[in-house]
Amino acid sequence: MRTRGRNSFSPTERQAVYRAIYERRDIRSHFQPTPVPPEVLGRILDAAHHGPSVGFMQPWDFIVIRSAAVREAVHECFVAANRQAAAAYSGERLALYGGLKLEGIREAPVNLCVTCDRLRNKGAGLGRQTDPATDLYSTACAVENLWLAARAESLGVGWVSILDFEMLRRLLEIPPHVIPVAYLCVGYVSEFPGEPVLETAGWERREKLTQLLHFDRFGGKDSGQAASMFPQRAREEE
Ligand SMILES: Cc1cc2nc3c(=O)[nH]c(=O)nc-3n(C[C@H](O)[C@H](O)[C@H](O)COP(=O)(O)O)c2cc1C
């Protein structure tokens, strides 16, 4: 059995974990061309590989893309999808959308494609028999681990979901039973914005956590619990 000392985080360690969480940002500009040392890349990939997975299935694979030619071709997958995505907006939203930088595929020195092998023969179906989508959720957990570890390494990560995935599959030779879950741009950056870029650009605002809390059932009212859960916030909002 582990001692209490080993189970506990010191206040400084705990603070560091929360710092990584609150200061993680989606990065798509300000990438520096500085190469990412292989051992640093290895550490963030290993953090991803230690993510939780359904039945311990570990459904992920990681495609490391450094080639400028491949990144250029992936950028074409973005251009194709972005043309279609923009068509969903009009007026002011369209103008705002057009001004957003939504990827750093060519600027980031490393791109990663994190995939989910839906037929991976590990985990003996535990959990997945009931909910087959849990392998995809597991892969997203691996991505978040990588994202937080990257922040602790001062590496920016941007998730690009606006891609023509059929084009991407062909380009990266991804077999049909493997799903490209996340396409990530990784590199050192000159700054980590304090707030989400979409917030500062006026696209969307962070919802108040207390608006998203329910007690005992969906829609269940707060009978004063929230104030004791977030005393600091309650004082600020008074
Ligand atoms: C599944 C997923 C897909 C995303 N796809 C994109 C994308 O295609 N382009 C983009 O600019 N940001 C993308 N993002 C980043 C979000 O816009 C970003 O996380 C959000 O605005 C909050 O900002 P923050 O991550 O800096 O806190 C994606 C994030 C997630 C989790």
Side-chain angles (χ1 to χ4, degrees):
M1 205 163 67
R2 288 189 168 171
T3 64
R4 183 163 158 68
R6 247 180 90 86
N7 276 340
S8 304
F9 277 41
S10 71
T12 314
E13 290 166 337
R14 189 167 57 231
Q15 218 175 343
V17 173
Y18 282 111
R19 182 175 171 209
I21 291 168
Y22 289 123
E23 294 187 16
R24 181 210 53 76
R25 287 276 75 82
D26 185 82
I27 302 289
R28 46 262 194 185
S29 50
H30 307 296
F31 279 111
Q32 295 179 334
T34 325
V36 179
E39 66 276 18
V40 178
L41 190 57
R43 283 201 293 269
I44 65 170
L45 285 167
D46 201 43
H49 185 49
H50 282 74
S53 64
V54 66
F56 201 25
M57 182 195 181
Q58 305 154 72
W60 42 69
D61 285 274
F62 306 96
I63 309 172
V64 180
I65 302 152
R66 294 182 189 268
S67 151
V70 177
R71 286 185 289 124
E72 192 62 50
V74 174
H75 187 258
E76 289 303 312
C77 304
F78 165 77
V79 172
N82 197 38
R83 209 176 292 126
Q84 272 206 315
Y89 306 108
S90 60
E92 268 181 38
R93 267 282 169 190
L94 179 60
L96 196 53
Y97 185 84
L100 294 171
K101 173 97 168 86
L102 296 169
E103 53 73 39
I105 299 165
R106 293 172 301 180
E107 301 90 326
V110 182
N111 289 189
L112 297 172
C113 184
V114 186
T115 60
C116 175
D117 180 347
R118 307 221 66 191
L119 300 182
R120 180 141 311 161
N121 189 21
K122 283 182 76 73
L126 192 153
R128 262 191 97 217
Q129 297 182 44
T130 314
D131 184 352
T134 46
D135 55 353
L136 295 166
Y137 306 154
S138 303
T139 308
C141 288
V143 173
E144 179 66 352
N145 260 18
L146 181 145
W147 214 337
L148 292 172
R151 181 61 191 88
E153 299 279 4
S154 302
L155 279 173
V157 173
W159 185 324
V160 190
S161 54
I162 306 162
L163 290 170
D164 181 321
F165 282 95
E166 278 319 304
M167 274 172 80
L168 186 77
R169 269 183 183 287
R170 282 196 298 275
L171 181 69
L172 302 182
E173 300 180 25
I174 299 171
H177 64 282
V178 175
I179 308 291
V181 170
Y183 192 88
L184 306 172
C185 304
V186 183
Y188 291 105
V189 282
S190 50
E191 61 170 305
F192 285 90
E195 305 297 335
V197 171
L198 289 188
E199 192 164 22
T200 31
W203 184 262
E204 195 50 274
R205 286 161 46 183
R206 189 179 299 286
E207 189 57 278
K208 278 202 177 83
L209 175 55
T210 45
Q211 299 286 319
L212 309 174
L213 277 182
H214 312 259
F215 293 89
D216 300 323
R217 64 175 174 84
F218 201 91
K221 295 260 179 297
D222 170 26
S223 51
Q225 297 103 307
S228 50
M229 289 164 85
F230 314 107
Q232 177 74 22
R233 219 167 282 182
R235 273 199 300 278
E236 281 166 8
E237 285 169 13
E238 264 168 16

